[in-house]
Amino acid sequence: MVNSEHRVHYLVCPAGIPNYGDELIAGTWLRYLAQVAPEVDVVVDCLYPEVAAAHVGGLHPRARFTSTLWQLCLRRWTDDDPAVTCAWVEDAVRDPTPVPDLRDGIEVLCGADVVHLLGGGYLNSIWPAFTGLLAGIATAAGASGARTAMTGQGLWPPADNAGLTRSLIKRFDVVDVRDAPSAELAGLVPRDDHCDDVFLGFGPHLLRTDEAVPEVMVSVQSLLAASEDAAEETVRFVAEVLRSWQVTDVGLLECSPDKDRDVLAVTAKLLPGARRYSLDEVLRHGLPARAGQCWISTRFHPHLVAGAAGAYGVALAVRADYYDTKHRSLIDGGSSWQLLRKLEIPERPTSGGYRAERLTKLRDAKLAVAERIYRRG
């Protein structure tokens, strides 16, 4: 339970799906707050609290998990217009009578001294209902005077009603994004140190060190692919690439167990000798990545962490309007991976990965954002 005598830092994020990147981001901020504010109550408002608590609950001594704002948005999931969702969420935060089961959670939200929307790529045209998160945070803070922040946000592709998103962003005290298109949408000047939240806490604890890792790692997905056939086509292409590179020491990464099950089953058939790394294993022991290793990844956060470890790589954009922006932000930001938009077999990379001084610059930039949010007083 939250102790009313303690200050409350309220974090909002999509942890618990579960998904590798979302768990990493939640863990990053919980570790940071354990260092700078171990005595403060931390409430994590997320999609699936029990799952998130199992993965990252031990990272802050006073963390607890709920799903208040997410439930408000999900209950208006079928609304075609995000403005309708936002209005409903705002009304519920002001007066929770229509949602008595969420009353206690809304009271905690409205009593927080900081409300922080953690990074990710969930505020866009793909999931328009989640614009309601912005509305709920702004409304709660408007009544309580809480400091509001959004960090590491990827806002592309923009929601149809982008003006609504911009108007809500203007109500936040601290606004931080992870790529240039999102900066422009949010009304910020694009900077070369805009980056994902994980850069705040990247370090050896995110990497596997207890055993040798494969020569090449593969991360593929069906989520957001154009179709199941397209996902299978990507897998078959990856198998062709590995044959062309004459690689047999291969690892397969699971990022989201429910979403990756079918595509990884196909991958395992085409690459029968590959070692599979489950999400739970990776969260416990770290990503199997190292300097000089090679990756083929459709996903963003494996690209980020492997690139930060010094791995070379090829990024595959399975959905151009979403993943092009994500991968390009990492490539331009220092990973130096190759981005493939067409399934044409590339040469095996022989260089890439973030330089140490670049990682330091990105971490320092994100640390400056964190200090703006969690400054005392």
Side-chain angles (χ1 to χ4, degrees):
M1 293 293 292
V2 170
N3 188 328
S4 60
E5 297 180 357
H6 282 81
R7 300 168 66 214
V8 174
H9 293 342
Y10 198 99
L11 311 183
V12 183
C13 64
I17 296 174
N19 176 59
Y20 175 62
D22 296 321
E23 314 302 290
L24 274 192
I25 290 170
T28 293
W29 285 105
L30 286 171
R31 286 188 180 94
Y32 172 78
L33 290 174
Q35 293 175 352
V36 303
E39 79 290 352
V40 174
D41 286 328
V42 176
V43 175
V44 182
D45 191 328
C46 58
L47 275 168
Y48 298 102
E50 291 184 2
V51 177
H55 285 150
V56 299
L59 298 180
H60 189 286
R62 301 189 65 84
R64 59 159 288 199
F65 294 76
T66 186
S67 186
T68 301
L69 279 172
W70 292 93
Q71 286 301 315
L72 288 175
C73 294
L74 290 171
R75 292 180 190 186
R76 308 300 296 189
W77 188 253
T78 58
D79 287 337
D80 294 329
D81 185 354
V84 175
T85 301
C86 288
W88 187 83
V89 171
E90 289 171 348
D91 288 344
V93 169
R94 292 189 189 101
D95 177 9
T97 301
V99 285
D101 57 317
L102 299 179
R103 179 185 296 275
D104 290 346
I106 291 171
E107 182 178 346
V108 172
L109 167 65
C110 292
D113 67 310
V114 174
V115 187
H116 178 183
L117 185 68
L118 308 191
Y122 50 90
L123 297 177
N124 51 46
S125 63
I126 302 173
W127 300 287
F130 294 152
T131 308
L133 298 170
L134 298 174
I137 292 170
T139 300
S144 68
R147 184 178 301 130
T148 53
M150 52 188 296
T151 60
Q153 292 297 328
L155 305 173
W156 215 258
D160 292 338
N161 191 346
L164 173 63
T165 301
R166 277 192 291 268
S167 68
L168 290 167
I169 288 173
K170 289 179 180 179
R171 296 168 67 182
F172 279 64
D173 299 310
V174 178
V175 178
D176 171 67
V177 296
R178 69 184 184 191
D179 55 70
S182 298
E184 293 175 1
L185 180 62
L188 304 177
V189 177
R191 296 170 35 167
D192 70 353
D193 58 4
H194 281 143
C195 61
D196 187 82
D197 283 354
V198 171
F199 284 106
L200 173 67
F202 174 78
H205 64 283
L206 296 185
L207 303 175
R208 183 139 198 166
T209 58
D210 62 336
E211 64 180 34
V213 300
E215 179 183 354
V216 175
M217 281 293 300
V218 173
S219 174
V220 290
Q221 67 190 88
S222 56
L223 179 66
L224 297 183
S227 65
E228 289 296 329
D229 289 342
E232 184 168 340
E233 181 184 6
T234 299
V235 173
R236 294 187 181 280
F237 168 72
V238 169
E240 291 179 11
V241 171
L242 295 174
R243 283 193 293 270
S244 173
W245 292 355
Q246 298 181 334
V247 173
T248 56
D249 183 17
V250 178
L252 302 179
L253 178 66
E254 174 191 80
C255 284
S256 184
D258 291 341
K259 305 294 189 300
D260 290 352
R261 184 178 296 111
D262 292 343
V263 72
L264 285 180
V266 173
T267 309
K269 290 180 181 178
L270 293 174
L271 304 170
R275 159 88 149 86
R276 180 166 172 171
Y277 294 84
S278 71
L279 174 63
D280 284 344
E281 181 180 2
V282 169
L283 292 176
R284 285 197 308 270
H285 301 294
L287 192 72
R290 60 168 173 78
Q293 183 192 38
C294 190
W295 276 70
I296 303 173
S297 180
T298 63
R299 290 187 182 268
F300 175 79
H301 280 98
H303 176 175
L304 187 163
V305 176
Y312 316 150
V314 175
L316 306 178
V318 297
R319 177 169 174 162
D321 65 342
Y322 186 60
Y323 277 102
D324 262 33
T325 299
K326 287 159 69 82
H327 284 302
R328 178 53 61 190
S329 71
L330 297 177
I331 293 167
D332 294 344
S335 81
S336 300
W337 283 23
Q338 180 178 352
L339 178 61
L340 283 188
R341 295 184 176 89
K342 296 182 180 180
L343 300 185
E344 299 175 350
I345 295 177
E347 294 291 326
R348 180 171 174 174
T350 57
S351 64
Y354 286 86
R355 297 178 180 273
E357 59 269 24
R358 181 61 178 163
L359 288 175
T360 298
K361 179 176 181 178
L362 295 175
R363 183 184 184 279
D364 287 349
K366 192 63 69 170
L367 183 59
V369 172
E371 290 172 347
R372 288 173 60 201
I373 301 168
Y374 294 104
R375 66 183 186 272
R376 293 293 183 176

mmCIF file of all heavy atoms in Angstrom, residues 310-333:
data_model
loop_
_atom_site.group_PDB
_atom_site.id
_atom_site.type_symbol
_atom_site.label_atom_id
_atom_site.label_comp_id
_atom_site.label_asym_id
_atom_site.label_seq_id
_atom_site.Cartn_x
_atom_site.Cartn_y
_atom_site.Cartn_z
ATOM 1 N N GLY A 310 28.347 -2.906 -28.518
ATOM 2 C CA GLY A 310 29.383 -2.918 -29.530
ATOM 3 C C GLY A 310 29.156 -3.906 -30.656
ATOM 4 O O GLY A 310 30.057 -4.153 -31.469
ATOM 5 N N ALA A 311 27.949 -4.477 -30.719
ATOM 6 C CA ALA A 311 27.654 -5.451 -31.767
ATOM 7 C C ALA A 311 27.403 -4.756 -33.097
ATOM 8 O O ALA A 311 26.896 -3.638 -33.150
ATOM 9 C CB ALA A 311 26.432 -6.285 -31.379
ATOM 10 N N TYR A 312 27.759 -5.440 -34.174
ATOM 11 C CA TYR A 312 27.423 -4.999 -35.520
ATOM 12 C C TYR A 312 26.008 -5.493 -35.834
ATOM 13 O O TYR A 312 25.520 -6.413 -35.182
ATOM 14 C CB TYR A 312 28.379 -5.578 -36.560
ATOM 15 C CG TYR A 312 29.846 -5.551 -36.187
ATOM 16 C CD1 TYR A 312 30.718 -6.528 -36.668
ATOM 17 C CD2 TYR A 312 30.372 -4.560 -35.362
ATOM 18 C CE1 TYR A 312 32.070 -6.515 -36.340
ATOM 19 C CE2 TYR A 312 31.719 -4.533 -35.036
ATOM 20 C CZ TYR A 312 32.572 -5.523 -35.520
ATOM 21 O OH TYR A 312 33.896 -5.499 -35.197
ATOM 22 N N GLY A 313 25.378 -4.920 -36.865
ATOM 23 C CA GLY A 313 24.049 -5.433 -37.124
ATOM 24 C C GLY A 313 23.361 -4.940 -38.368
ATOM 25 O O GLY A 313 23.771 -3.977 -39.007
ATOM 26 N N VAL A 314 22.268 -5.663 -38.677
ATOM 27 C CA VAL A 314 21.360 -5.337 -39.762
ATOM 28 C C VAL A 314 19.967 -5.218 -39.159
ATOM 29 O O VAL A 314 19.496 -6.135 -38.482
ATOM 30 C CB VAL A 314 21.363 -6.423 -40.851
ATOM 31 C CG1 VAL A 314 20.317 -6.112 -41.920
ATOM 32 C CG2 VAL A 314 22.746 -6.558 -41.471
ATOM 33 N N ALA A 315 19.322 -4.077 -39.362
ATOM 34 C CA ALA A 315 17.966 -3.852 -38.876
ATOM 35 C C ALA A 315 16.990 -4.022 -40.025
ATOM 36 O O ALA A 315 17.207 -3.493 -41.122
ATOM 37 C CB ALA A 315 17.837 -2.451 -38.286
ATOM 38 N N LEU A 316 15.920 -4.778 -39.777
ATOM 39 C CA LEU A 316 14.878 -4.992 -40.773
ATOM 40 C C LEU A 316 13.632 -4.222 -40.351
ATOM 41 O O LEU A 316 13.127 -4.418 -39.244
ATOM 42 C CB LEU A 316 14.536 -6.480 -40.895
ATOM 43 C CG LEU A 316 15.683 -7.447 -41.163
ATOM 44 C CD1 LEU A 316 15.167 -8.883 -41.211
ATOM 45 C CD2 LEU A 316 16.366 -7.102 -42.475
ATOM 46 N N ALA A 317 13.142 -3.356 -41.225
ATOM 47 C CA ALA A 317 11.962 -2.551 -40.910
ATOM 48 C C ALA A 317 10.718 -3.292 -41.392
ATOM 49 O O ALA A 317 10.385 -3.276 -42.580
ATOM 50 C CB ALA A 317 12.048 -1.185 -41.565
ATOM 51 N N VAL A 318 10.011 -3.972 -40.457
ATOM 52 C CA VAL A 318 8.858 -4.767 -40.856
ATOM 53 C C VAL A 318 7.614 -3.918 -41.082
ATOM 54 O O VAL A 318 6.666 -4.371 -41.708
ATOM 55 C CB VAL A 318 8.552 -5.872 -39.818
ATOM 56 C CG1 VAL A 318 9.702 -6.858 -39.718
ATOM 57 C CG2 VAL A 318 8.244 -5.259 -38.454
ATOM 58 N N ARG A 319 7.602 -2.704 -40.558
ATOM 59 C CA ARG A 319 6.504 -1.758 -40.826
ATOM 60 C C ARG A 319 7.143 -0.395 -40.998
ATOM 61 O O ARG A 319 7.578 0.234 -40.032
ATOM 62 C CB ARG A 319 5.491 -1.757 -39.683
ATOM 63 C CG ARG A 319 4.390 -0.731 -39.895
ATOM 64 C CD ARG A 319 3.239 -0.867 -38.941
ATOM 65 N NE ARG A 319 2.301 0.244 -39.133
ATOM 66 C CZ ARG A 319 1.048 0.257 -38.718
ATOM 67 N NH1 ARG A 319 0.562 -0.783 -38.065
ATOM 68 N NH2 ARG A 319 0.275 1.297 -38.928
ATOM 69 N N ALA A 320 7.151 0.077 -42.243
ATOM 70 C CA ALA A 320 7.951 1.256 -42.593
ATOM 71 C C ALA A 320 7.545 2.496 -41.807
ATOM 72 O O ALA A 320 8.407 3.253 -41.346
ATOM 73 C CB ALA A 320 7.863 1.526 -44.090
ATOM 74 N N ASP A 321 6.245 2.737 -41.619
ATOM 75 C CA ASP A 321 5.821 3.981 -40.988
ATOM 76 C C ASP A 321 6.126 4.005 -39.489
ATOM 77 O O ASP A 321 6.075 5.073 -38.860
ATOM 78 C CB ASP A 321 4.334 4.241 -41.229
ATOM 79 C CG ASP A 321 3.422 3.215 -40.580
ATOM 80 O OD1 ASP A 321 3.911 2.119 -40.230
ATOM 81 O OD2 ASP A 321 2.214 3.484 -40.443
ATOM 82 N N TYR A 322 6.466 2.860 -38.922
ATOM 83 C CA TYR A 322 6.751 2.763 -37.487
ATOM 84 C C TYR A 322 8.221 2.450 -37.231
ATOM 85 O O TYR A 322 8.930 3.209 -36.573
ATOM 86 C CB TYR A 322 5.858 1.681 -36.878
ATOM 87 C CG TYR A 322 5.933 1.542 -35.373
ATOM 88 C CD1 TYR A 322 5.608 2.602 -34.539
ATOM 89 C CD2 TYR A 322 6.280 0.330 -34.787
ATOM 90 C CE1 TYR A 322 5.647 2.462 -33.152
ATOM 91 C CE2 TYR A 322 6.323 0.183 -33.410
ATOM 92 C CZ TYR A 322 6.005 1.246 -32.592
ATOM 93 O OH TYR A 322 6.047 1.100 -31.235
ATOM 94 N N TYR A 323 8.701 1.347 -37.810
ATOM 95 C CA TYR A 323 10.054 0.891 -37.488
ATOM 96 C C TYR A 323 11.149 1.639 -38.234
ATOM 97 O O TYR A 323 12.291 1.679 -37.760
ATOM 98 C CB TYR A 323 10.175 -0.616 -37.723
ATOM 99 C CG TYR A 323 9.670 -1.405 -36.547
ATOM 100 C CD1 TYR A 323 8.416 -1.999 -36.567
ATOM 101 C CD2 TYR A 323 10.429 -1.516 -35.392
ATOM 102 C CE1 TYR A 323 7.946 -2.704 -35.471
ATOM 103 C CE2 TYR A 323 9.966 -2.214 -34.288
ATOM 104 C CZ TYR A 323 8.727 -2.813 -34.339
ATOM 105 O OH TYR A 323 8.255 -3.491 -33.244
ATOM 106 N N ASP A 324 10.869 2.233 -39.373
ATOM 107 C CA ASP A 324 11.894 3.041 -40.040
ATOM 108 C C ASP A 324 12.390 4.151 -39.106
ATOM 109 O O ASP A 324 13.600 4.354 -38.939
ATOM 110 C CB ASP A 324 11.340 3.663 -41.324
ATOM 111 C CG ASP A 324 11.708 2.864 -42.560
ATOM 112 O OD1 ASP A 324 11.794 1.626 -42.446
ATOM 113 O OD2 ASP A 324 11.907 3.467 -43.622
ATOM 114 N N THR A 325 11.455 4.880 -38.522
ATOM 115 C CA THR A 325 11.821 5.976 -37.626
ATOM 116 C C THR A 325 12.585 5.458 -36.419
ATOM 117 O O THR A 325 13.599 6.050 -35.995
ATOM 118 C CB THR A 325 10.563 6.728 -37.162
ATOM 119 O OG1 THR A 325 9.900 7.278 -38.297
ATOM 120 C CG2 THR A 325 10.913 7.849 -36.197
ATOM 121 N N LYS A 326 12.144 4.358 -35.847
ATOM 122 C CA LYS A 326 12.771 3.801 -34.655
ATOM 123 C C LYS A 326 14.210 3.370 -34.942
ATOM 124 O O LYS A 326 15.157 3.779 -34.253
ATOM 125 C CB LYS A 326 11.946 2.617 -34.146
ATOM 126 C CG LYS A 326 10.629 3.012 -33.492
ATOM 127 C CD LYS A 326 9.629 1.874 -33.474
ATOM 128 C CE LYS A 326 9.990 0.739 -32.574
ATOM 129 N NZ LYS A 326 9.646 0.964 -31.155
ATOM 130 N N HIS A 327 14.380 2.531 -35.951
ATOM 131 C CA HIS A 327 15.729 2.047 -36.261
ATOM 132 C C HIS A 327 16.634 3.176 -36.739
ATOM 133 O O HIS A 327 17.816 3.236 -36.383
ATOM 134 C CB HIS A 327 15.669 0.944 -37.315
ATOM 135 C CG HIS A 327 15.202 -0.381 -36.794
ATOM 136 N ND1 HIS A 327 15.837 -1.043 -35.768
ATOM 137 C CD2 HIS A 327 14.159 -1.177 -37.175
ATOM 138 C CE1 HIS A 327 15.212 -2.186 -35.530
ATOM 139 N NE2 HIS A 327 14.197 -2.287 -36.362
ATOM 140 N N ARG A 328 16.092 4.088 -37.551
ATOM 141 C CA ARG A 328 16.912 5.183 -38.069
ATOM 142 C C ARG A 328 17.419 6.067 -36.932
ATOM 143 O O ARG A 328 18.549 6.560 -36.973
ATOM 144 C CB ARG A 328 16.095 6.005 -39.073
ATOM 145 C CG ARG A 328 16.812 7.223 -39.661
ATOM 146 C CD ARG A 328 18.143 6.882 -40.269
ATOM 147 N NE ARG A 328 18.055 5.952 -41.373
ATOM 148 C CZ ARG A 328 19.113 5.376 -41.932
ATOM 149 N NH1 ARG A 328 20.331 5.640 -41.462
ATOM 150 N NH2 ARG A 328 18.958 4.531 -42.929
ATOM 151 N N SER A 329 16.614 6.237 -35.875
ATOM 152 C CA SER A 329 17.068 7.055 -34.754
ATOM 153 C C SER A 329 18.299 6.438 -34.094
ATOM 154 O O SER A 329 19.204 7.157 -33.646
ATOM 155 C CB SER A 329 15.947 7.227 -33.721
ATOM 156 O OG SER A 329 15.693 6.025 -33.011
ATOM 157 N N LEU A 330 18.370 5.123 -34.022
ATOM 158 C CA LEU A 330 19.528 4.452 -33.433
ATOM 159 C C LEU A 330 20.727 4.478 -34.373
ATOM 160 O O LEU A 330 21.862 4.708 -33.941
ATOM 161 C CB LEU A 330 19.170 2.999 -33.088
ATOM 162 C CG LEU A 330 18.067 2.799 -32.042
ATOM 163 C CD1 LEU A 330 17.784 1.319 -31.860
ATOM 164 C CD2 LEU A 330 18.453 3.429 -30.708
ATOM 165 N N ILE A 331 20.480 4.258 -35.644
ATOM 166 C CA ILE A 331 21.574 4.240 -36.624
ATOM 167 C C ILE A 331 22.232 5.611 -36.701
ATOM 168 O O ILE A 331 23.456 5.745 -36.603
ATOM 169 C CB ILE A 331 21.050 3.785 -37.999
ATOM 170 C CG1 ILE A 331 20.616 2.323 -37.929
ATOM 171 C CG2 ILE A 331 22.113 3.981 -39.083
ATOM 172 C CD1 ILE A 331 19.799 1.859 -39.123
ATOM 173 N N ASP A 332 21.399 6.644 -36.861
ATOM 174 C CA ASP A 332 21.938 8.004 -36.918
ATOM 175 C C ASP A 332 22.538 8.418 -35.581
ATOM 176 O O ASP A 332 23.458 9.242 -35.537
ATOM 177 C CB ASP A 332 20.842 8.994 -37.323
ATOM 178 C CG ASP A 332 20.358 8.777 -38.748
ATOM 179 O OD1 ASP A 332 21.057 8.084 -39.518
ATOM 180 O OD2 ASP A 332 19.280 9.290 -39.089
ATOM 181 N N GLY A 333 22.023 7.855 -34.504
ATOM 182 C CA GLY A 333 22.497 8.220 -33.178
ATOM 183 C C GLY A 333 23.798 7.568 -32.773
ATOM 184 O O GLY A 333 24.369 7.934 -31.745
#
